[in-house]
Amino acid sequence: MENTAIQLNDVTVRFRIPHEKIPTLQEYAIRWLKRRSVSFSDFNALNNVSFSIKQGATVGIIGANGAGKSTLLKVISRVIRPTYGRVFLRGRIAPLLELGAGFDYEMTGRENIFLNGAVLGFNRKDIASRLDRIVEFSGISEFIDAPIRTYSSGMVARLGFAVATDVQPDILVIDEILSVGDVEFQKKSAQRILQYSNNGSTILVVSHNPSAIKQLCNDVIWLQHGLIKMRGSVDDIINYYSS
Amino acid sequence: MLEYDSAKRPPPAIDEFFQLIRYRDLIFLMVESILKNRYKRSVLGVFWMLLNPLLQTIVLSVAFGTMFKSSIPSYAVYLLTGLLAWNFITQTTQYAMNSMAYGGGLLKRVYIPRATYIIAAVGNGLVNLVVSVGALLVIIIFLHHEITWAWLFLPVSIVILAIFSLGLALFLSTASVFFTDTVDIYQVLIQALFFLTPIMYPPSILPPELNQLLALNPFVILIEVFRIPIHANHLPDFSLVVNAASLALITLVAGWVLFTSKADQLAYRL
Ligand SMILES: Nc1ncnc2c1ncn2[C@@H]1O[C@H](COP(=O)(O)OP(=O)(O)OP(=O)(O)O)[C@@H](O)[C@H]1O
Ligand SMILES: [Mg+2]
């Protein structure tokens, strides 16, 4: 087990969906007075999911909309804790779930590098020492001192990607962000991911694009309704999935 | 090598504390960004912030100044100090709740310590309070009100207010995630409580029965602890300080335990 990077044991993520509109205290009070309880239903976005991924592997995750892919990545990235089961990770994780989470659109690109860096758990000094490299990779050095509300969405994504991937992580988790940016930046970001993969990072990719999955991974997990439908080699799974 | 095991975790109340220490730079940057956003847009930002209590003071001084002239010496100072303490507590808690409700989307998208927003809101409030106290000093000099060494007690008062506000903010933010009308209910409560707290009037004008009820209003001792060194120019009684500090600490511990025990659900609910 020494070389396991990610391991899930019977992970269930349960969302509680209230049947009524918004939950307000008023609503609860009225219901309480009427001696009626608030009704809701439980929905398992992930249902007893177990798998493990070896260090250095690149694994793809596919599945229909609502299958639980993003939920899976969130539970691995610690954004949500599993309702039941256990998530175990070895190494520093860089989540690329939504680029530029925590960006403040009133602030400049430079200020946002620090802010987003801090959101990702880096301290100020560390970011300061890597600032030039981040700006250069993002390719928007001309606009770095303009507020990012003036940026195009691609520019924002570039900046987010540059901050999140500046230091090689042990585990890289990617949720459908391979298609951001223009062709040049797509190439550049794919190259960086490939380089990290070659240097031993474990990579988990969610994508709806079969060719992107084929390009990156050998091993694919197919999620359906919160369950693992199948896991296997990329060609097999994609064949089954598309038919 | 860094490891994360969802099954092995210290109790949330402790875990959250250490995570916040790890993410302290994020808290500082958030406070900075709140302050910058407010002040960058208009050079008059600080002025606007101070103008509000100042206008309140002028209006209320004109309206009630003569009425309370005999019972309260330097009515304007009495009023202004009360308003500053009151505004700090209420605005900080409201700000924390709002940033949790509207800005908390970040908690759904990336892992950061759950209390980050709330701590940042209190930090922001503290900076504003310190700036206001600076302005208060100028006004007090202008009004020829006496300034004594009792002012040196103010940092203690401010820390007590901040601890209380943080505790209350944690409690309210938790409630606001589960019940979306908490923000509105709190708003109404605050408005009522403003008149039930001796901020613009002396406690002595209340009938004795009501005066005893004041002991149940937690805001009273908090405001006193801040107001006495400035307005009455002496140190607050030891027992008052102990009461205020205990109230603040109990609120913080209770708020902290409640918030951290529910924090895992926040990302599901927000
Ligand atoms: N906060 C939430 N509250 C309630 N239900 C949720 C919440 N987040 C996700 N879900 C539900 O969980 C299920 C899985 O969602 P998830 O985002 O993981 O899907 P996905 O596989 O990433 O889909 P897509 O391909 O559209 O990105 C969906 O049915 C969704 O409605
Ligand atoms: Mg998704």
Side-chain angles (χ1 to χ4, degrees):
Chain A
M1 295 302 280
E2 205 26 63
N3 58 356
T4 303
I6 304 173
Q7 185 174 334
L8 274 71
N9 302 97
D10 293 321
V11 169
T12 294
V13 170
R14 175 169 300 169
F15 291 109
R16 173 159 288 188
I17 301 160
H19 283 163
E20 284 81 17
K21 26 176 193 185
I22 36 171
T24 64
L25 205 55
Q26 194 189 339
E27 193 83 4
Y28 273 79
I30 292 168
R31 264 159 216 290
W32 182 77
L33 287 175
K34 289 185 181 165
R35 305 262 177 259
R36 263 173 49 199
S37 60
V38 180
S39 65
F40 48 76
S41 59
D42 285 337
F43 174 77
N44 288 356
L46 292 179
N47 217 333
N48 280 315
V49 171
S50 304
F51 63 79
S52 77
I53 294 175
K54 284 205 178 75
Q55 268 169 13
T58 299
V59 177
I61 295 173
I62 58 171
N65 293 136
K69 303 180 298 297
S70 299
T71 307
L72 179 66
L73 296 194
K74 280 184 182 172
V75 84
I76 290 172
S77 315
R78 264 215 298 179
V79 178
I80 50 181
R81 288 178 64 79
T83 315
Y84 303 111
R86 169 178 180 244
V87 176
F88 174 76
L89 302 182
R90 189 176 283 134
R92 189 180 73 79
I93 184 168
L96 292 179
L97 304 185
E98 273 177 66
L99 291 176
F103 273 171
D104 181 331
Y105 280 72
E106 293 303 322
M107 295 173 69
T108 67
R110 187 188 303 275
E111 289 168 328
N112 271 300
I113 292 177
F114 284 94
L115 198 58
N116 189 229
V119 164
L120 296 171
F122 297 110
N123 64 40
R124 226 190 270 227
K125 251 194 212 147
D126 185 14
I127 297 281
S129 69
R130 301 189 274 109
L131 187 69
D132 294 339
R133 205 170 70 191
I134 294 172
V135 174
E136 196 199 309
F137 187 85
S138 74
I140 49 169
S141 43
E142 289 163 70
F143 306 99
I144 204 66
D145 286 310
I148 60 172
R149 72 183 139 83
T150 65
Y151 287 16
S152 71
S153 56
M155 287 160 73
V156 174
R158 277 168 171 247
L159 197 62
F161 186 91
V163 179
T165 62
D166 184 57
V167 181
Q168 176 171 358
D170 301 310
I171 302 170
L172 187 61
V173 161
I174 305 168
D175 194 355
E176 297 182 65
I177 51 118
L178 295 173
S179 52
V180 300
D182 51 26
V183 180
E184 181 225 325
F185 194 73
Q186 277 182 35
K187 238 190 218 157
K188 208 168 160 183
S189 49
Q191 214 166 33
R192 178 171 263 190
I193 292 168
L194 223 56
Q195 181 204 330
Y196 286 166
S197 168
N198 291 335
N199 292 344
S201 296
T202 310
I203 297 175
L204 204 54
V205 201
V206 166
S207 178
H208 287 294
N209 178 352
S211 66
I213 294 277
K214 274 186 180 162
Q215 206 178 0
L216 278 167
C217 332
N218 307 314
D219 189 7
V220 172
I221 294 172
W222 175 6
L223 273 186
Q224 193 177 52
H225 303 308
L227 295 161
I228 295 185
K229 168 96 171 171
M230 250 185 218
R231 176 172 181 178
S233 76
V234 62
D235 295 318
D236 293 351
I237 301 289
I238 297 225
N239 268 341
Y240 283 118
Y241 180 62
S242 15
S243 64
Chain B
M1 202 178 211
L2 209 68
E3 283 188 2
Y4 163 63
D5 188 340
S6 69
K8 280 191 221 141
R9 185 172 71 149
I14 294 165
D15 189 35
E16 181 71 7
F17 178 74
F18 286 106
Q19 293 296 344
L20 282 166
I21 291 179
R22 246 195 83 208
Y23 279 79
R24 60 188 176 279
D25 278 6
L26 174 61
I27 296 169
F28 286 121
L29 284 166
M30 275 190 175
V31 174
E32 244 178 74
S33 96
I34 300 169
L35 292 170
K36 268 189 197 161
N37 277 347
R38 176 178 303 170
Y39 297 135
K40 200 195 273 170
R41 297 208 140 191
S42 65
V43 196
L44 297 173
V46 185
F47 175 71
W48 286 121
M49 185 186 80
L50 300 173
L51 192 67
N52 182 26
L54 207 58
L55 278 181
Q56 268 175 296
T57 305
I58 292 169
V59 170
L60 293 171
S61 293
V62 170
F64 299 112
T66 44
M67 204 159 122
F68 300 128
K69 206 164 210 157
S70 51
S71 47
I72 310 178
S74 349
Y75 180 67
V77 177
Y78 180 87
L79 189 57
L80 202 49
T81 46
L83 279 178
L84 279 191
W86 172 262
N87 286 347
F88 169 71
I89 297 172
T90 55
Q91 284 173 5
T92 302
T93 44
Q94 279 182 310
Y95 192 92
M97 226 183 332
N98 284 330
S99 54
M100 203 60 188
Y102 303 112
L106 184 57
L107 296 179
K108 284 201 299 196
R109 296 191 277 148
V110 61
Y111 172 81
I112 55 170
R114 307 306 186 197
T116 307
Y117 274 108
I118 300 170
I119 308 265
V122 175
N124 169 46
L126 268 176
V127 174
N128 292 342
L129 180 61
V130 170
V131 173
S132 307
V133 169
L136 178 68
L137 186 62
V138 176
I139 294 170
I140 283 182
I141 292 170
F142 181 74
L143 291 175
H144 301 297
H145 186 74
E146 197 188 353
I147 294 171
T148 64
W149 291 108
W151 271 71
L152 292 182
F153 186 76
L154 279 185
V156 179
S157 313
I158 290 175
V159 168
I160 291 175
L161 291 188
I163 289 175
F164 175 80
S165 304
L166 177 56
L168 187 58
L170 287 163
F171 174 80
L172 290 168
S173 305
T174 314
S176 73
V177 173
F178 289 87
F179 308 110
T180 47
D181 54 349
T182 309
V183 180
D184 307 307
I185 293 174
Y186 183 59
Q187 173 85 27
V188 174
L189 279 182
I190 282 181
Q191 267 165 18
L193 213 53
F194 178 77
F195 295 101
L196 297 174
T197 308
I199 294 166
M200 54 178 202
Y201 58 84
S204 57
I205 66 157
L206 295 176
E209 313 87 63
L210 262 181
N211 222 328
Q212 275 174 350
L213 274 180
L214 277 190
L216 297 176
N217 180 347
F219 288 89
V220 177
I221 54 174
L222 294 165
I223 286 175
E224 285 291 279
V225 135
F226 180 78
R227 179 150 61 190
I228 288 174
I230 301 174
H231 178 251
N233 289 310
H234 59 75
L235 294 180
D237 286 347
F238 185 67
S239 65
L240 175 66
V241 177
V242 170
N243 284 344
S246 314
L247 171 68
L249 280 175
I250 290 169
T251 310
L252 176 60
V253 171
W256 184 259
V257 170
L258 176 75
F259 179 84
T260 52
S261 71
K262 299 287 179 197
D264 287 341
Q265 292 180 45
L266 295 183
Y268 284 72
R269 298 256 190 176
L270 276 167

